[in-house]
Amino acid sequence: MPTRHLHVLRHGAADPFGELTAEGERQAELAGRRLAALPVDAVWHSPLPRAVRSAAVLGAQLPGVPVAEAAELVDHVPYLPDPMPPAWAGFFDGYDAAEAAEGERLAAALTARFARPADVETHEVLITHAFQVAWLVRDALAAPPESWLGLPYGNAALTTVEYRDDRSASLLVYNDMGHLPPELRWTGFGPAARP
């Protein structure tokens, strides 16, 4: 039975303008070194600059593996619960119904393309954003849609999900930063998030 192995990573650390920092480049390089032991078939990335650069740096550690854009991996808000939990209300203040509908459309496209079994055994790397990693994890666990809100995710951290026809998705690894030295392990969220 063929298995689709999705190795999902948030892009490396970026500056306020969305460009990868020196720390982000190092995170992506170390993630690529970790993945080099696997039979990776493709690296897919979001069209945003921080993910494009992360994929290029990571891909350099995987000679001969194609690196390409996947529009479904773009940063977006996948789902907004109604009513909004009070702790998140200020964060999502200003999102309107049209933006929420577009986010749900993009989230559906993401899972339709990647969160399913494949016809052949494959190992694919996805370089995306924190919200998309959380959405894929929520989907793999068949958790309620609002569950993605509580899943923080580190820069260049590894999550692995397997998909097969004969069973539900299997979450094998979540937010693993073992390939990063302590000074590069952080989520970028919250005042005390970075050591």
Side-chain angles (χ1 to χ4, degrees), residues 7-13 20 22-40 42-44 50-51 53-63 65 124-128 153-160 173 175-181 184-185:
H7 307 286
V8 188
L9 297 99
R10 181 181 177 199
H11 58 79
L20 216 57
E23 291 89 354
E25 296 233 358
R26 183 76 177 134
Q27 290 169 326
E29 177 189 355
L30 292 169
R33 287 185 185 179
R34 179 175 183 177
L35 293 167
L38 299 175
V40 176
V43 175
W44 301 99
R50 57 193 181 270
R53 182 65 186 147
S54 293
V57 171
L58 182 147
Q61 305 300 313
L62 307 171
V65 175
E124 297 168 276
V125 175
L126 308 183
I127 308 296
T128 187
Y153 204 76
N155 292 107
L158 176 64
T159 289
T160 299
V173 176
N175 201 31
D176 186 348
M177 295 183 237
H179 52 284
L180 302 175
L184 294 180
R185 297 177 189 173

Side-chain angles (χ1 to χ4, degrees), residues 81-181:
D82 185 17
M84 178 65 65
W88 290 96
F91 189 79
F92 294 110
D93 189 36
Y95 278 85
D96 62 27
E99 288 172 309
E102 177 63 7
E104 288 185 30
R105 185 194 69 75
L106 288 167
L110 172 64
T111 54
R113 179 167 181 186
F114 292 108
R116 60 180 176 77
D119 296 330
V120 297
E121 189 83 10
T122 184
H123 285 261
E124 297 168 276
V125 175
L126 308 183
I127 308 296
T128 187
H129 308 275
F131 291 174
Q132 285 55 62
V133 177
W135 187 254
L136 288 168
V137 168
R138 182 226 53 89
D139 183 76
L141 297 173
E146 62 275 8
S147 298
W148 77 271
L149 288 169
L151 296 171
Y153 204 76
N155 292 107
L158 176 64
T159 289
T160 299
V161 184
E162 288 184 350
Y163 299 90
R164 291 175 42 169
D165 282 329
D166 64 342
R167 64 176 187 227
S168 300
S170 298
L171 179 64
L172 303 181
V173 176
Y174 171 72
N175 201 31
D176 186 348
M177 295 183 237
H179 52 284
L180 302 175

